[in-house]
Amino acid sequence: MNDTAKPPGEIPPAVVDEQGRLCGFVHSVETGAAVDGPGVRFALFVSGCQFRCLYCHNPDTWKLHNGVLRTVDDVVAQIGKYAGFLRLAGGLTISGGEPLMQAHFVREVCYRVKQQYGLHTALDTQGFLAAHLPDDWFDPVDLVLLDIKHIDPAKYEALTSKPLQPTLDFAERLMAMKKKTWIRYVLVPGWSDAWDDVERHADYIKALSDQAPGCIERVEVLPFHKMGEPKWRALNLEYALDETPVPTPALTERVREQYRQRGLTVC
């Protein structure tokens, strides 16, 4: 592959411990997550992310080695303690950070919890690194929570620090794979609330949905919040949105209605 055809970004190599066991850097876990996929879920937050989203509420996950090094065996065993409940109530969601930064570890965890416990699995990602992975990497992933943070390339890059196109390429690839997908859109006043921008975003999602009917199960409009702001301060990072208000209920409902008008399921 020549340099011009090489996908953007880079997936770090697999990490193994001194016994040769596959490991990953884990930021934290949540055993009763209610907002990271269907039902009640075990949320595994891994560390490492190439993006620098202005509204990120987990900037402490950006650096890969800020996480705790854990083996796949250890993580799968921890999930197994809750498997009986999770099988009925929800499943496993791997988030971050950006899970594809640790593709070797993440794929193995998904594969093992499906094989050993029969759990539903979800991946919360912006898809920037997905072009580095073959289609069968996604076989043990039941649902992708895909963050398409803006539809305008320049505004997307200003908001995230990275280009938009790899995420759109991944969105269309998910439709080609017939993969169940939830689209996530963070509503930030002054950044992602303009009527025309939302119209274009909604048009794009509708066109995606038409490519593979039934694959896009919902659009989640997520109101911007400031719960992560103290983390920016603690890390001595400049927080650019300190004057940005949270969206009003009326604004959030207006945006959600723009998606509903296209026949999309919205929450």
Side-chain angles (χ1 to χ4, degrees):
M1 181 180 292
N2 60 42
D3 287 343
T4 58
K6 183 179 178 182
E10 184 176 355
I11 294 176
V15 177
V16 295
D17 66 8
E18 59 274 14
Q19 281 85 46
R21 298 173 299 184
L22 183 60
C23 298
F25 292 95
V26 174
H27 173 269
S28 58
V29 303
E30 185 174 347
T31 57
V35 295
D36 295 291
V40 179
R41 310 185 68 81
F42 187 105
L44 176 68
F45 297 94
V46 295
S47 58
C49 185
Q50 319 88 334
F51 281 37
R52 295 294 179 265
C53 299
L54 297 180
Y55 55 72
C56 181
H57 61 275
N58 286 320
D60 49 333
T61 67
W62 288 350
K63 293 184 179 179
L64 181 66
H65 296 95
N66 277 359
V68 175
L69 190 63
R70 296 181 61 183
T71 66
V72 170
D73 293 341
D74 178 40
V75 171
V76 170
Q78 183 181 11
I79 297 169
K81 296 176 182 177
Y82 308 94
F85 170 76
L86 294 171
R87 196 177 302 116
L88 298 173
L92 166 71
T93 295
I94 303 185
S95 184
E98 168 48 52
L100 298 188
M101 280 277 289
Q102 300 194 64
H104 308 278
F105 173 73
V106 167
R107 209 264 187 190
E108 186 64 15
V109 171
C110 285
Y111 176 79
R112 292 269 300 275
V113 301
K114 287 197 73 65
Q115 291 295 313
Q116 293 180 221
Y117 309 132
L119 295 186
H120 179 276
T121 60
L123 182 72
D124 180 12
T125 178
Q126 21 80 345
F128 182 72
L129 294 174
H132 291 268
L133 301 168
D135 284 358
D136 63 4
W137 187 95
F138 297 92
D139 286 350
V141 177
D142 295 308
L143 173 70
V144 174
L145 312 177
L146 180 63
D147 301 296
I148 304 181
K149 302 167 190 287
H150 211 291
I151 199 60
D152 180 275
K155 294 176 182 176
Y156 184 95
E157 191 156 348
L159 191 61
T160 70
S161 80
K162 295 295 181 187
L164 168 63
Q165 193 57 49
T167 296
L168 299 186
D169 291 343
F170 183 49
E172 294 179 21
R173 186 174 163 204
L174 288 173
M175 297 303 98
M177 290 192 291
K178 310 297 185 191
K179 186 66 70 178
K180 297 295 185 185
T181 302
W182 290 10
I183 302 295
R184 301 185 124 185
Y185 187 70
V186 178
L187 181 61
V188 187
W191 283 90
S192 59
D193 63 334
W195 174 275
D196 288 346
D197 287 337
V198 176
E199 287 287 282
R200 289 172 58 198
H201 193 276
D203 283 342
Y204 179 77
I205 304 306
K206 171 60 175 167
L208 272 182
S209 181
D210 289 344
Q211 288 179 34
C215 286
I216 293 183
E217 295 185 329
R218 66 169 61 181
V219 177
E220 292 189 313
V221 176
L222 306 173
F224 161 68
H225 61 72
K226 295 189 175 185
M227 287 187 284
E229 184 173 356
K231 294 182 180 179
W232 288 70
R233 310 287 182 211
L235 294 168
N236 292 318
L237 297 171
E238 182 180 355
Y239 187 66
L241 302 185
D242 54 352
E243 299 296 326
T244 301
V246 299
T248 64
L251 173 59
T252 303
E253 179 56 25
R254 188 216 83 195
V255 171
R256 286 174 173 155
E257 183 60 24
Q258 288 181 261
Y259 293 95
R260 287 193 198 102
Q261 288 176 357
R262 289 159 175 82
L264 298 165
T265 298
V266 186
C267 63

